[in-house]
Amino acid sequence: MRAVLIILVVITPSVILTDVSSDAKQMAALVALFAGLLTFVEYNTEAPSLIEFRDAPPFNRVRVTMLFLTVLCLSVMESGRAENTSLSALMQAIGQLVGQSLDFPYSPVRLAKLMLAGTATPEQVQAVRNAAGVAYLTSLISLAAFVTVLKIGGWPMRDRMFNVWINLPTFDPTAGDLVERLERDARVNIILGILLPFIIPFVVSLSSSGVDPDSMTASQTLIWTMTAWAFLPASLFMRGIAMGRIADMVRHMRRAQGAADRSATARASRAF
């Protein structure tokens, strides 16, 4: 089921957009099959390698939901270019409203427009602005939902075993103090999650004269570029929050174990 859901996420733009070539559809199908196979293998093997928090729901469920909603909203909005429907018109109106609201000086949406070259037309700039606004708003709503779910559900469950090796396969728990390293990585991920929406457009604008507007505003390119621009920072922010809560869980367990050891030592000394 997880593999099927990942496949659906990848092929969503190709299914919704009507002006997609057959070659692009075949490429999307190939990428979807690879992503689905990777997900299937990762969740059905005892030794994880890439996917984090494999056995710690609902972390990955929220991330996949955020990814799917972002791709779906942008795909519906972009489908109005070729065939305008009531749903695409509604999404375009929402995108224009959100894009205008978030397009203020030094905002991520304003900086996203800087990735375009100076030859971009007003329509192309507006398309990037609206897509960036929808993607960024979706990531903010998903972050709020993620924090709410963690608070309500008390994640990670302290009455349930949390396997660091399975859920954090790239994290070495033996190198230094576990709590300190978890807290340090949590702070680094949160800082990166906050700064990446600002850094990426800035680096692109500095390293070149800007992205070609025609290639950037192509429907599939715009969808996946804006999705990655909003999803990666939000995913890092969520990872930082999760690692911070794991550090709190480990600290709590250490205190409980220390109290239990002191109590056992006191009982043993009294009995002696």
Side-chain angles (χ1 to χ4, degrees), residues 77-117:
M77 188 171 66
E78 287 297 309
S79 66
R81 292 189 185 183
E83 183 180 353
N84 198 9
T85 62
S86 57
L87 183 59
S88 63
L90 175 61
M91 284 305 306
Q92 287 175 348
I94 294 175
Q96 185 172 0
L97 177 62
V98 173
Q100 290 178 347
S101 302
L102 297 179
D103 186 12
F104 51 87
Y106 304 107
S107 70
V109 175
R110 174 68 62 86
L111 293 175
K113 298 193 304 183
L114 297 179
M115 291 189 292
L116 291 174

Side-chain angles (χ1 to χ4, degrees), residues 245-258:
R245 291 184 67 90
I246 294 171
D248 292 339
M249 179 194 69
V250 174
R251 186 184 295 108
H252 174 79
M253 294 178 63
R254 285 181 176 179
R255 289 174 180 173
Q257 184 63 39

Side-chain angles (χ1 to χ4, degrees), residues 27 126 129 180:
M27 181 61 67
Q126 182 179 354
R129 182 196 66 186
E180 291 181 358

Side-chain angles (χ1 to χ4, degrees), residues 61-82:
R61 297 174 187 177
V62 175
R63 287 203 300 181
V64 172
T65 302
M66 174 177 63
L67 179 63
F68 175 70
L69 289 178
T70 305
V71 172
L72 178 63
C73 292
L74 294 181
S75 299
V76 172
M77 188 171 66
E78 287 297 309
S79 66
R81 292 189 185 183

Side-chain angles (χ1 to χ4, degrees), residues 212-247:
D212 179 45
D214 293 331
S215 61
M216 177 70 176
T217 55
S219 294
Q220 291 229 46
T221 304
L222 183 62
I223 290 170
W224 289 113
T225 301
M226 291 297 101
T227 298
W229 170 79
F231 174 77
L232 292 177
S235 182
L236 286 174
F237 200 92
M238 292 167 57
R239 186 176 187 269
I241 295 174
M243 297 187 79
R245 291 184 67 90
I246 294 171

